[in-house]
């Protein structure tokens, strides 16, 4: 990497670190190229990204950002998974680590909050932003359905009462 490429990389990663919702740091030693491609594909489907970066350049890019607390984790062969959705990258990373023991989650950061490996796993168990939106829409729609049922119920009761009187008169 020449000096200009390094400067461009640091600027790009600085923008990523300042605009991302969450960053997960993991060791990837021993992963095959096929495993890395699978991880990248899963991350992309979830709306997240994976980057293998030189630790020294990543530390320079981290300076002055909210996620600067991950700098001590950048030792050895590390990869950075990040997403704007605070749940997407941790969820994919944790799921991938369950199926592949060579991916070891070291920790991460969500904004200014530093996360240990357990914190990343806890974040991965939360529902995604889309799931939360779906639940919220369901909660908003439920009262409207109940109101319609309550409004229609008296009319239905009246119809049954009139029907019962009519049957009684016919029988007599």
């Amino acid at each position: 990497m020449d000096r200009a490429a390094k400067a461009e990389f640091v600027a790009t990663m600085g923008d990523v670190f300042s605009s991302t919702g969450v960053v997960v740091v993991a060791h990837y030693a021993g992963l095959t190229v096929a495993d890395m491609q699978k991880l990248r594909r899963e991350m992309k489907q979830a709306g997240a990204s994976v980057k293998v970066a030189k630790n020294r350049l990543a530390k320079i890019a981290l300076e002055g950002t909210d996620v600067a607390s991950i700098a001590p984790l950048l030792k050895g062969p590390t990869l950075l998974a990040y997403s704007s959705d605070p749940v997407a990258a941790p969820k994919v990373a944790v799921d991938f680590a369950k199926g592949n023991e060579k991916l070891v989650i070291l920790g991460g950061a969500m904004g200014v909050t530093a996360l240990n490996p357990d914190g990343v796993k806890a974040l991965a168990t939360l529902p995604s932003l889309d799931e939360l939106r779906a639940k919220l829409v369901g909660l908003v729609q439920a009262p409207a359905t109940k109101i319609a049922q309550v409004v229609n119920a008296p009319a239905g009761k009246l119809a049954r009462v009139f029907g019962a009187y009519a049957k009684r008169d016919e029988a007599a």
Side-chain angles (χ1 to χ4, degrees):
M1 238 184 191
D2 64 340
R3 184 175 220 121
K6 288 179 183 178
E8 182 182 335
F9 176 80
V10 168
T12 303
M13 288 307 292
D15 291 341
V16 166
F17 290 141
S18 61
S19 65
T20 191
V22 67
V23 178
V24 177
V25 181
H27 276 170
Y28 68 96
L31 285 179
T32 64
V33 172
D35 290 337
M36 282 297 288
Q37 288 175 340
K38 181 180 177 191
L39 177 61
R40 288 179 198 275
R41 192 170 33 256
E42 289 177 9
M43 285 283 187
K44 188 174 182 179
Q45 288 173 350
S49 300
V50 175
K51 191 78 170 169
V52 175
K54 288 189 169 276
N55 292 336
R56 187 174 48 81
L57 295 176
K59 285 180 183 179
I60 293 169
L62 280 170
E63 291 174 7
T65 63
D66 288 343
V67 294
S69 60
I70 64 170
L73 301 174
L74 298 175
K75 293 179 180 154
T78 55
L79 66 81
L80 302 167
Y82 53 90
S83 65
S84 56
D85 180 3
V87 178
K91 188 172 283 207
V92 174
V94 168
D95 288 345
F96 192 83
K98 285 179 185 173
N100 197 329
E101 63 206 29
K102 293 179 181 171
L103 183 72
V104 179
I105 296 174
L106 302 175
M110 184 174 69
V112 294
T113 307
L115 302 170
N116 60 9
D118 293 329
V120 173
K121 290 175 185 171
L123 200 57
T125 61
L126 294 175
S128 71
L129 197 56
D130 290 335
E131 291 170 1
L132 286 174
R133 286 180 181 146
K135 286 182 181 181
L136 188 61
V137 167
L139 288 173
V140 168
Q141 286 181 342
T145 305
K146 289 182 180 179
I147 288 172
Q149 289 172 351
V150 168
V151 168
N152 290 332
K157 287 181 182 178
L158 278 174
R160 284 191 289 277
V161 168
F162 290 142
Y165 278 120
K167 284 182 184 178
R168 188 186 70 181
D169 290 341
E170 289 174 7

